[in-house]
Amino acid sequence: MQRRKIIIDTDPGQDDAAAIMLALASPDELDVLGLTAVAGNVPLSFTSRNLRIVCELCGRPDAKVYEGALKPLNRPQVTAEHVHGKTGLDGAELPEPTMVAQEQNAIDFIIETLRREPEGTVTLCTLGPLTNIAMALTKAPDIASRVQELVMMGGGLFEGGNITPAAEFNIYVDPEAAKIVFGAGIPVVMMPLDVTHQLLTTKARVEKIAALGNRPSQVLVEWLAFFERFDIEKYGSDGGPLHDPSVIAYLLKPDLFTGRHCNVEIETESELTVGMTVADWWGVTGRTANATFMRHVDADGFFELLTERVGRL
Ligand code: BDR
Ligand code: CA
């Protein structure tokens, strides 16, 4: 497999942390050019801090972290402390990071990187609201055609939403940004709730991670215990859905996922359904396909991959 250059745009979040761990544990396949923080689960000051904590936990204080948007394009900020805790990474006791964020802004870093690297060689991995990416595309529309692929956690169709009956959190927080991204002509791969609700942190799966015994796996288990409590209560399932690592798992093992290339539009106006990803799964509109909407995942294969990689940290 050719080593893939990626930028991870994220709002950690315990499940974001798991995704970053999976990426940083896979240097043979993934070259992480930089990690960009965005406001989402918690305000930017926390997502930047959390991102640096995760890099240090993975033994990568040399990783480049950039800070981006403080709030959505033109809406008040919505956060999810009710899921992730006050810091966004509640659940484990960790020291404050010693790493500092780069001086360059995340939006300029994304633009410069895409202009510098050969066309079609950089993949954007988004684990939070799409504000940073939309700002970069608006400031520098020429970068759209240079992106190899944008793989995102966001949206939902058959499963409905998780922050409203119709909308998934990442899209709901900044639907205008999502609209810009889906309209940019970039090859988009979506990991919607339809996929991530299959990725349950069951007791048996978490026990395998706990058995690894290294420090990162211990911390991950503590984070997962905190993170899943909200969803276990909500869905009554054995474990909660582990959303964001699906994006990185797709880069490492695309065959774990199946879906359909179809048209996806973003609702930005209706009060009732704002943030909905209207996926034309059955091809009834004649609108041009602009995204690959994943629907099924080999959940055991996903957890085997995650566990094996976290064991390498
Ligand atoms: C998404 O929202 C956040 O709470 C998670 O980190 C994930 O990116 C799931 O809807
Ligand atoms: Ca996230």
Side-chain angles (χ1 to χ4, degrees):
M1 184 192 254
Q2 212 193 337
R3 197 158 178 249
R4 206 158 161 171
K5 291 180 227 177
I6 66 171
I7 295 174
I8 302 179
D9 189 69
T10 175
D11 62 335
Q14 295 87 350
D15 62 322
D16 300 71
I20 295 159
M21 292 169 90
L22 180 57
L24 293 180
S26 307
D28 292 344
E29 296 99 336
L30 302 177
D31 179 6
V32 183
L33 301 178
L35 302 107
T36 53
V38 67
N41 286 322
V42 283
L44 184 73
S45 55
F46 276 123
T47 60
S48 166
R49 162 196 179 264
N50 296 348
L51 185 43
R52 287 175 280 128
I53 284 178
V54 179
C55 291
E56 289 187 0
L57 177 68
C58 295
R60 289 296 307 278
D62 58 308
K64 303 257 183 290
V65 168
Y66 301 82
E67 294 178 347
L70 277 162
K71 60 182 251 337
L73 294 183
N74 44 28
R75 287 176 191 263
Q77 193 177 359
V78 177
T79 50
E81 283 89 355
H82 60 292
V83 182
H84 300 273
K86 189 175 173 297
T87 66
L89 267 190
D90 282 17
E93 287 293 324
L94 287 161
E96 288 301 311
T98 55
M99 273 173 83
V100 290
Q102 302 292 306
E103 267 184 29
Q104 188 180 33
N105 173 282
I107 288 100
D108 292 331
F109 165 72
I110 292 167
I111 294 171
E112 264 188 41
T113 305
L114 283 163
R115 284 180 175 164
R116 183 189 66 233
E117 298 292 336
E119 193 174 322
T121 63
V122 176
T123 295
L124 301 176
C125 302
T126 66
L127 315 177
L130 291 158
T131 320
N132 285 348
I133 310 298
M135 287 175 81
L137 287 167
T138 304
K139 190 169 177 187
D142 58 286
I143 62 171
S145 62
R146 304 187 65 80
V147 178
Q148 180 178 1
E149 203 168 40
L150 187 151
V151 188
M152 70 166 70
M153 190 282 133
L157 179 65
F158 304 97
E159 282 287 304
N162 61 356
I163 184 85
T164 75
E168 180 279 328
F169 180 80
N170 290 341
I171 308 293
Y172 176 80
V173 168
D174 199 344
E176 285 76 18
K179 198 179 179 79
I180 290 171
V181 170
F182 278 86
I186 298 171
V188 169
V189 177
M190 284 174 77
M191 294 295 166
L193 295 176
D194 305 277
V195 162
T196 65
H197 279 181
Q198 297 169 46
L199 299 175
L200 295 175
T201 55
T202 62
K203 206 162 169 278
R205 288 169 178 159
V206 175
E207 273 168 8
K208 285 188 187 154
I209 299 175
L212 294 168
N214 59 351
R215 172 80 179 137
S217 68
Q218 300 311 305
V219 173
L220 179 59
V221 167
E222 288 174 24
W223 277 335
L224 293 181
F226 184 90
F227 174 59
E228 66 188 13
R229 85 213 180 287
F230 177 80
D231 283 328
I232 289 174
E233 200 171 306
K234 184 171 164 190
Y235 302 115
S237 48
D238 176 10
L242 190 57
H243 307 279
D244 290 340
S246 58
V247 167
I248 307 298
Y250 171 74
L251 300 182
L252 298 170
K253 281 201 165 187
D255 293 349
L256 291 173
F257 302 88
T258 52
R260 191 176 281 189
H261 194 52
C262 62
N263 176 268
V264 179
E265 302 294 333
I266 309 297
E267 175 59 55
T268 56
E269 278 162 30
S270 153
E271 209 179 302
L272 198 57
T273 59
V274 67
M276 184 173 179
T277 47
V278 182
D280 186 7
W281 183 262
W282 300 112
V284 293
T285 64
R287 291 194 285 253
T288 309
N290 59 348
T292 300
F293 189 100
M294 293 301 182
R295 186 165 178 192
H296 296 292
V297 57
D298 169 359
D300 285 332
F302 165 88
F303 277 97
E304 270 163 35
L305 175 68
L306 179 69
T307 307
E308 186 264 320
R309 294 301 161 106
V310 172
R312 294 185 189 183
L313 288 171

